[in-house]
Amino acid sequence: MKNLVVITVILVFAINVSFAGDIKGKVKAKGAKHSGNAVIYIDEIPEKKFDPPKNHLLMDQKNLVFIPHVLPIVAGTTVDFLNSDDVLHNVFSPDGCAEKFNLGSWPKGQTRSYKFKNKGCTPVLLCNVHPEMEAYVVTLQNPYFAVSEKDGSYTIKNVPAGKFTMNIWHEKLKGSSQEVTVPESGDVVVDFEIKR
């Protein structure tokens, strides 16, 4: 009887396990210096709710640059903004979907935080002290996303098996969505072209 219970538990576990594959590909950017900083993502996974990470994500301000330049997140994620420079920095966004927040200014070594609540919001982040500084947060429904490297390569790991719509976001260029079927194991290749 004990063996039967163990076998039943194993079978139930096996039925509930979601198999996964990786989505890989290249982004070809026409009209940009390189093919990096594009966000490739699965648009929506229906009937599933994805909680934001418990730990805050980090965007640094170093050498008068936001690092990273583009940060994709799951809606509800809190981002900490660290000042690593010897000068004061500020973070604000004029975009309504991010409540036109302004975190004020703060010195080196300190952080200020903001929670990005609205799915589909891609606010620009600016610094009142240094107008040349600019970055973006891309707020998504699920954690199946990647940011392309300068050569255009990207990998989205451990995507559940199924049929999905993939999209691409870039701060200046546009691309078309694509349908993808992820098998229970193995990689899928999906390439994108983005242009003005």
Side-chain angles (χ1 to χ4, degrees):
M1 184 68 177
K2 193 173 184 182
N3 287 344
L4 183 61
V5 171
V6 171
I7 291 169
T8 304
V9 169
I10 290 169
L11 282 173
V12 168
F13 178 74
I15 290 167
N16 288 327
V17 167
S18 178
F19 293 97
D22 293 348
I23 301 173
K24 298 180 175 190
K26 278 230 171 187
V27 175
K28 184 177 180 183
K30 291 185 172 181
K33 290 180 185 174
H34 56 76
S35 295
N37 288 328
V39 179
I40 305 94
Y41 61 97
I42 290 182
D43 187 46
E44 188 108 5
I45 297 183
E47 300 170 14
K48 264 201 110 172
K49 183 180 182 314
F50 294 91
D51 293 324
K54 288 187 173 122
N55 294 331
H56 295 184
L57 297 187
L58 180 71
M59 183 175 276
D60 200 354
Q61 295 164 291
K62 191 169 185 175
N63 300 321
L64 305 186
V65 175
F66 284 106
I67 302 170
H69 179 65
V70 175
L71 180 64
I73 61 170
V74 174
T77 297
T78 298
V79 177
D80 292 340
F81 296 94
L82 170 65
N83 181 355
S84 291
D85 282 333
D86 290 326
V87 295
L88 287 177
H89 276 310
N90 161 271
V91 176
F92 78 97
S93 176
D95 293 316
C97 67
E99 305 169 313
K100 298 184 179 182
F101 75 87
N102 188 330
L103 301 179
S105 299
W106 62 97
K108 182 176 185 175
Q110 292 186 16
T111 61
R112 300 273 171 96
S113 303
Y114 182 78
K115 182 189 277 190
F116 294 86
K117 304 176 196 99
N118 298 319
K119 175 182 77 96
C121 181
T122 56
V124 63
L125 305 177
L126 303 167
C127 174
N128 266 329
V129 185
H130 306 96
E132 70 276 15
M133 292 178 65
E134 186 178 86
Y136 295 87
V137 168
V138 180
T139 312
L140 303 168
Q141 183 250 357
N142 62 72
Y144 302 110
F145 53 72
V147 178
S148 62
E149 301 291 337
K150 284 189 175 182
D151 68 356
S153 62
Y154 77 90
T155 302
I156 303 174
K157 293 195 168 293
N158 299 318
V159 179
K163 189 173 182 179
F164 307 106
T165 300
M166 290 187 66
N167 277 319
I168 187 165
W169 176 92
H170 187 272
E171 64 188 279
K172 292 189 170 93
L173 308 177
K174 297 192 181 311
S176 299
S177 61
Q178 296 190 43
E179 297 299 315
V180 63
T181 300
V182 178
E184 292 184 352
S185 65
D187 298 340
V188 179
V189 176
V190 182
D191 295 328
F192 284 89
E193 184 176 293
I194 52 176
K195 54 190 176 185
R196 293 195 181 275

